[in-house]
Amino acid sequence: MRTQLLLAALLGSVNAIRIIHANDDGWAELYTRSFHEALLAAGHDTVLSAPAENKSGTGSSDAEPSPRTTACQYNSCAPSNAPIGRNESSPRLNWVNSFPLTSMRYGIDVISPSFWNNEPAELAVSGPNVGSNLYAQVHFSGTVGSAVFASKERKIPAIAFSGLTGGTLAWNTTPVPTRSLVYAQVASKLVDAVVAAGKPYLPEDVFLNVNLPKVEGECTDASKYKFVLSRINLGVFSQKDVAQCGSDRLPMEAVVTGTKGCYVSVSVGDANDKTTASADKQKIVRDKLQGLFTCLP
């Protein structure tokens, strides 16, 4: 029995990887903390590096962190006159007193190396954002901005997650509401699918922009969620998309998340301009995750 348990543990950790995690709503936001816990539960070696406070809508802004002279959001850290800090009882939880992109940069370059014996992050994730990041919102999103930085500047495959059900919540909210748990479970499922598909997880200079529908009705059950390959921007003047579900034009993200049936939009984004990536890069992602995607009704 002991041998069987050991084998199960070893098999369960085969796909465990080093993940750097950021967001734009703040290091103590519940959606992010729930996702962090889900990644750890899945066996991943995850380090959180996020802003000391809510920095939504700051896009790709970047500035060296300044000394923190007031408490972090939700009183989650005391004034310290330090530019970065961490939860001493859970040192994988780190704050950076600057923008989301800066938090990702510091997480990759400064904070995570000590956890991983100077090995690099294998995957970067951001979010889930409290609220959507669809179409034009993408360009202003700090959640997206941090993921794009990881992909473009550090060549780390990256995924930005956003949940349409809004409402900020403190990290220590009890009981943890269904929406936070569901988003964490569904986001973790996609991460595991990307990892299971093998390296390279994504094409170079690509990020995934993922929007999860509202947690209501049947969508309070994580097992009901289905993933649909989508696009970020309008395709009126764009080249054809990868052929999918009988069409060479992928559905817009808002169409996917607005369709009844718990559909998650997964767009292959170009990290150079935050628009939809080319059909050849879409195809790579589609083929790697071919068992994951479904078609809209």
Side-chain angles (χ1 to χ4, degrees):
M1 175 64 72
R2 184 176 179 180
T3 302
Q4 290 175 329
L5 290 173
L6 178 60
L7 179 59
L10 289 172
L11 288 173
S13 65
V14 168
N15 288 328
I17 65 168
R18 298 181 298 276
I19 299 177
I20 188 68
H21 182 190
N23 79 347
D24 73 359
D25 294 307
W27 82 307
E29 180 56 48
L30 186 58
Y31 279 7
T32 293
R33 293 294 183 90
S34 293
F35 186 27
H36 177 76
E37 292 297 328
L39 291 172
L40 290 175
H44 298 297
D45 196 349
T46 305
V47 175
L48 175 69
S49 177
E53 59 186 296
N54 190 332
K55 288 288 186 179
S56 295
T58 53
S60 292
S61 298
D62 187 13
E64 287 303 304
S66 58
R68 186 77 194 178
T69 57
T70 60
C72 296
Q73 69 177 151
Y74 308 126
N75 290 314
S76 55
C77 81
S80 63
N81 288 317
I84 65 175
R86 68 181 185 181
N87 183 321
E88 293 300 331
S89 61
S90 299
R92 290 177 179 275
L93 302 173
N94 297 266
W95 58 263
V96 176
N97 195 37
S98 187
F99 297 108
L101 186 154
T102 312
S103 300
M104 179 66 84
R105 176 164 64 85
Y106 262 70
I108 294 169
D109 297 345
V110 178
I111 295 170
S112 64
S114 63
F115 290 93
W116 301 330
N117 294 318
N118 292 316
E119 290 292 319
E122 296 172 278
L123 182 70
V125 297
S126 187
N129 185 70
V130 181
S132 64
N133 276 309
L134 305 163
Y135 188 29
Q137 294 173 318
V138 168
H139 296 275
F140 305 100
S141 166
T143 297
V144 172
S146 57
V148 165
F149 170 83
S151 174
K152 186 176 187 297
E153 303 299 335
R154 294 297 184 267
K155 304 306 177 186
I156 300 170
I159 310 174
F161 291 96
S162 301
L164 270 68
T165 297
T168 56
L169 294 167
W171 63 276
N172 56 354
T173 300
T174 55
V176 178
T178 299
R179 56 190 170 110
S180 192
L181 295 173
V182 167
Y183 283 159
Q185 292 167 23
V186 177
S188 183
K189 179 180 178 179
L190 180 57
V191 167
D192 286 345
V194 169
V195 173
K199 293 184 177 180
Y201 298 129
L202 296 172
E204 189 169 301
D205 291 340
V206 151
F207 72 101
L208 298 185
N209 190 51
V210 181
N211 279 273
L212 300 101
K214 290 185 177 181
V215 179
E216 57 188 16
E218 66 175 331
C219 301
T220 56
D221 180 350
S223 68
K224 301 291 187 182
Y225 282 63
K226 299 174 281 290
F227 299 89
V228 175
L229 193 60
S230 57
R231 62 178 292 112
I232 297 171
N233 54 300
L234 293 170
V236 178
F237 301 108
S238 303
Q239 297 294 318
K240 294 179 179 180
D241 292 319
V242 64
Q244 178 75 350
C245 298
S247 175
D248 57 16
R249 180 61 72 213
L250 297 174
M252 292 286 291
E253 295 166 324
V255 171
V256 174
T257 57
T259 299
K260 184 179 180 180
C262 313
Y263 292 101
V264 180
S265 67
V266 182
S267 296
V268 184
D270 187 335
N272 293 294
D273 59 10
K274 302 181 185 178
T275 63
T276 306
S278 60
D280 59 324
K281 291 189 175 181
Q282 292 173 348
K283 183 178 185 302
I284 293 172
V285 174
R286 184 204 64 183
D287 291 351
K288 286 178 69 68
L289 301 176
Q290 57 183 314
L292 181 74
F293 293 123
T294 190
C295 301
L296 292 177

